[in-house]
Amino acid sequence: MDVNKYMLFVRAVETGNLSKAAAQLSYSQTAASHMISSMEEELGIKLLYRGRSGVSLTEEGERIYPLAKELTEKEEAIRIMAGEEKIHHGRIRIGVITSVAVKWMPQIIMEFRKQYPFVELYMNDAINYEIMKDWFSKDVIDCAITAESNGKENEIPLVEDPYYVIMSPDHPLRQYETITPQLLKGETFVVPSEGTSYLVGKILRQAKGKLMEHNGFLSDQAAIAMVSGGCGISILPKLVLDSYGTEGYIRRILDPKVHRVIYFCISSRKILHPTIRCFSAFAREWIGNHAENVIKS
C-alpha cells in the first residue's frame, strides 16, 4: 500500500480538483493522474469521476474515503510523533563567545533543559571569532552564538551590541558624555583578545595611541581590571561590560556610535538534526525577549 496515493486521493476530494491536490503535494498533473489510476487498478474499483469542473466521488469512492482519510491522518500523526521523538532526544554542540557564555547562556541552558530534559547540551567557549570558524570547519560545533559575520555559515542577526570607551573614575576623559576619535589621540589602550573589531581597530589607528604591552592572551575581565587600575583605556562592547559588572570604571558612548552584530550561526555543511533546529528557535526567541537592541527579522 502506497500511503502517498491515499493522501493524494483525500486531498483531491477535499479540494474538488486533482490539479490543485497535485500542486499542493508537489506532483505534476500527469503523475497525479497516474497515481489515482494506479490506486483504482489495485483496488479494482473506480474512486473518482473526473470532469472539466473537477472531481467527485463515485459510490465506491464514498465508502473508501472515510477510511482513506483516517489512514492519512494516522500516518501524519506517526510523522509528527517521530519528529517530536527526535526533538526530545539528541545532542547539541554549541559554540559561544565568552561574553555570551557569561551573560546569556546560563539562563538559556536552564530554561531549555526544563522543556527538553533528555537533550544533551555541550557548550564550547571561544576566546575569539577565529576559533569559532575553526570549530565549524572541523565539525566540533553544530551551532554558535557569535559576532563578526564570516559569510560561510547560515547566519541570523540577533542583536546590535554597542561599543563603549571605558576608563578609570579619575581619568581626564570622564568629563565628556560622549567620546569622539579626536579625544582619544595619544591615549594608552588596553586591547583584550575578544571584543575588538575592524571598526574599533580603525579608531585605534586614527588615535595613534600606545598599546599596553602584554604577552599572548588578555581576557576581557583582565582588560577591565587594567583599565580600573589606571593602566589605560579600552573600547569594549556593552555585552562584555555587562558580563563583569560596572564597578571600578566608567563608560562613555562613542560618537559616532559603533556596534558589533551578534549572530546565531548554524553549520551549512551537513543535514541538521531536528533538535538543533529546535534549540536555534528557542535561543533566538529567548534573546529576542531578554536582550537590548534586538534586530527585528
Side-chain angles (χ1 to χ4, degrees):
M1 181 186 297
D2 186 350
V3 177
N4 292 322
K5 294 178 182 178
Y6 285 80
M7 292 178 68
L8 176 63
F9 167 64
V10 170
R11 192 66 60 90
V13 175
E14 290 174 344
T15 60
N17 189 293
L18 185 58
S19 297
K20 288 182 180 178
Q24 291 177 8
L25 297 174
S26 301
Y27 296 122
S28 68
Q29 187 170 354
T30 301
S33 180
H34 177 74
M35 289 170 70
I36 294 297
S37 297
S38 174
M39 182 178 170
E40 291 176 329
E41 186 177 340
E42 289 171 3
L43 296 176
I45 56 175
K46 186 172 182 61
L47 298 170
L48 296 173
Y49 292 120
R50 306 185 209 183
R52 292 182 180 178
S53 59
V55 297
S56 59
L57 286 167
T58 65
E59 186 176 342
E60 293 88 348
E62 287 180 356
R63 291 198 297 268
I64 294 294
Y65 173 71
L67 296 174
K69 185 172 178 61
E70 183 180 352
L71 172 65
T72 58
E73 288 175 347
K74 286 183 177 179
E75 196 271 347
E76 180 65 21
I78 290 171
R79 288 180 185 269
I80 292 172
M81 187 178 297
E84 289 178 348
E85 182 68 15
K86 288 181 181 179
I87 288 173
H88 284 82
H89 294 81
R91 180 188 68 167
I92 309 172
R93 302 168 301 168
I94 314 157
V96 293
I97 51 176
T98 303
S99 52
V100 168
V102 174
K103 188 65 178 175
W104 292 342
M105 289 310 293
Q107 294 178 71
I108 290 176
I109 288 175
M110 290 304 295
E111 292 185 25
F112 186 79
R113 280 178 174 169
K114 289 178 183 177
Q115 293 189 35
Y116 305 96
F118 300 110
V119 174
E120 300 176 46
L121 294 174
Y122 299 90
M123 190 181 78
N124 298 273
D125 176 14
I127 60 175
N128 59 49
Y129 315 129
E130 293 303 319
I131 291 177
M132 199 81 70
K133 296 175 187 177
D134 186 56
W135 284 346
F136 269 123
S137 67
K138 294 180 178 177
D139 195 28
V140 174
I141 57 176
D142 303 304
C143 57
I145 303 177
T146 184
E148 301 294 317
S149 170
N150 61 39
K152 293 183 179 179
E153 310 305 327
N154 296 317
E155 299 169 339
I156 303 168
L158 301 175
V159 169
E160 291 182 352
D161 190 19
Y163 281 92
Y164 285 84
V165 178
I166 63 169
M167 62 200 77
S168 62
D170 59 353
H171 195 282
L173 291 179
R174 71 184 184 280
Q175 63 181 302
Y176 299 97
E177 289 301 316
T178 59
I179 303 295
T180 63
Q182 290 74 23
L183 291 172
L184 297 174
K185 291 196 177 201
E187 293 291 337
T188 298
F189 292 95
V190 182
V191 181
S193 298
E194 188 199 341
T196 57
S197 71
Y198 171 78
L199 292 174
V200 171
K202 185 177 179 181
I203 293 172
L204 298 181
R205 289 190 296 274
Q206 288 175 343
K208 297 181 180 178
K210 298 176 288 184
L211 295 180
M212 192 192 81
E213 297 294 334
H214 60 82
N215 262 332
F217 173 68
L218 183 68
S219 69
D220 297 322
Q221 195 168 15
I224 293 171
M226 295 297 104
V227 169
S228 299
C231 297
I233 66 174
S234 192
I235 301 176
L236 289 170
K238 184 177 186 298
L239 191 60
V240 170
L241 297 174
D242 291 348
S243 299
Y244 298 110
T246 58
E247 295 183 3
Y249 67 91
I250 58 176
R251 65 174 83 175
R252 295 287 186 264
I253 194 71
L254 281 162
D255 182 20
K257 294 180 180 180
V258 177
H259 68 265
R260 65 177 181 173
V261 176
I262 306 295
Y263 293 89
F264 193 98
C265 303
I266 302 175
S267 174
S268 59
R269 295 171 177 80
K270 61 180 181 179
I271 299 174
L272 294 179
H273 193 281
T275 308
I276 299 170
R277 296 191 184 278
C278 176
F279 177 78
S280 168
F282 181 93
R284 287 185 284 119
E285 182 179 3
W286 188 96
I287 292 169
N289 292 333
H290 294 84
E292 300 176 24
N293 304 312
V294 173
I295 299 172
K296 302 296 183 182
S297 57

